[in-house]
Amino acid sequence: MHPPLAPDPPAAFDLFDPDDGADAVLTSRELSVTRSKLGDLLDLLPAGLLIHQEQGIVYANVEASRALGLSREALVGRHFLDFVADPDLPAQRALFAGCLHDGALVRTQDCVLIGADARQTSVQVSMSPLPWDGLPVLYVLINDVTALKQTEAMLRVLSNTDSLTGAWNRRHFIDLAEAEVERSRRYARPFSLLALDIDHFKRINDAHGHAVGDEALKAFTAACRTTLRTNDVLGRMGGEEFAILLPETDGKGARRVAERIRTRVRALTVPAGTDTVRFTVSIGWASCQGDGRDLDAMLSCADEALYRAKDQGRDRVVGAADVAFV
C-alpha cells in the first residue's frame, strides 16, 4: 500500500499561471478551453500516460485506463507500481525512484503490467520528471507492445523450426543439445541421443512424388512426438535424417524409446492416391553417464550406430556403449 496523496496535489493541467497583476493574454474562458483541448489531445495518444507524484497518480489518459483495467477516476490515487508484475517490480521501483528524485530519464524499459481485470500486458515504460513547482512530479508513458512481443515470439519459433515437419531445425537442435550437455556436465546427469533415418526414403519420392514424401515426413514426425516426453527434443537434421535428445535418460531408456518409435513408424500408412505407402526407420543411439561430455562425440557415436543399423538390414535399433567423453 502507498500513503495517500498529499492534501493539495498538483492539478493535472495547471500548466498556465497568468500574472494577476498583468493583462492576461488568455481570458479565463480561453484558458479553460486550452486545458480541455490539451486533455483531449492526451487522450488521443496511442500510449498510456500517467502524471504521477510520489504517493500516486493524479492524471491518467484513456489508453492508460485501458491498459490498467480501471476508469481514469479510479486510477487517481493508485500507484503505477501496484500494477507491475512481481518479477519486474524491483527494477521498476528503482527506476521510478531515480526518475522522481534524481531526474534520471527512463527510456523504453520492458515490463509486464497486470491490470485490475487480471489481464497481463507486455509494455515498454518511459519516465521523465515534469517541471512542476512544489512536490516532485513525473510522467509515466506506457506503450502496449503485446502484439509486437507475440510477433517476435512467432518469428523466433519460425526461425528455429523446420517449416515442413514442425520439428526444430538443425541449428536450433544443436543449440538446445549444447545447453543440455552443459546442464548434464554441471550436475553429472545422464542423457542420450538418437540418430534416425527413414529407410529407402528416396524410393518413396521416386515412386509416388515429393508430395507423398512430404506427408511421410510429417507422419513420421507426429509418430515420434506421440512417443516422446515434453522435455525431449526432436530435430530435423536434413532430408530424412532426424535426431532426438533425451535428457535424464540412460542407455536402457534410450533403447526403449528407440524401439517404441521404430514399432510405431512400422505401423504407419500414408495415402498415395489409390495406393498406400509404408516405411520403416533405422535408429542409432548413444548414451553418456560420465563427466566431460562432448556433443560432437555423442552425435558421431549415434551416427556410427545408425550406420551399423542400416548395414545390418535396416528397420532396427543399434546402440553404442556408454562412454565418458573427455
Side-chain angles (χ1 to χ4, degrees), residues 309-324:
K310 287 185 170 293
D311 287 342
Q312 293 172 18
R314 294 182 168 83
D315 187 22
R316 65 191 62 224
V317 172
V318 172
D322 289 352
V323 177

Side-chain angles (χ1 to χ4, degrees), residues 122 145-159:
S122 296
V145 293
T146 303
L148 176 62
K149 294 296 182 183
Q150 290 172 343
T151 300
E152 289 176 351
M154 181 182 67
L155 290 174
R156 280 195 298 271
V157 170
L158 290 175
S159 69

Side-chain angles (χ1 to χ4, degrees), residues 10-76:
F13 299 115
D14 285 345
L15 305 179
F16 305 94
D17 186 18
D19 184 353
D20 292 338
D23 292 333
V25 176
L26 299 176
T27 65
S28 176
R29 173 178 171 78
E30 288 171 333
L31 181 57
S32 176
V33 170
T34 300
R35 288 172 174 163
S36 176
K37 288 182 177 179
L38 179 58
D40 292 341
L41 178 63
L42 295 180
D43 280 336
L44 292 175
L45 285 175
L49 176 69
L50 303 174
I51 296 179
H52 215 301
Q53 65 182 77
E54 184 167 18
Q55 293 89 343
I57 298 164
V58 296
Y59 170 80
N61 72 351
V62 169
E63 180 62 17
S65 171
R66 184 199 66 78
L68 300 179
L70 285 176
S71 69
R72 299 164 64 180
E73 293 76 16
L75 283 173
V76 173

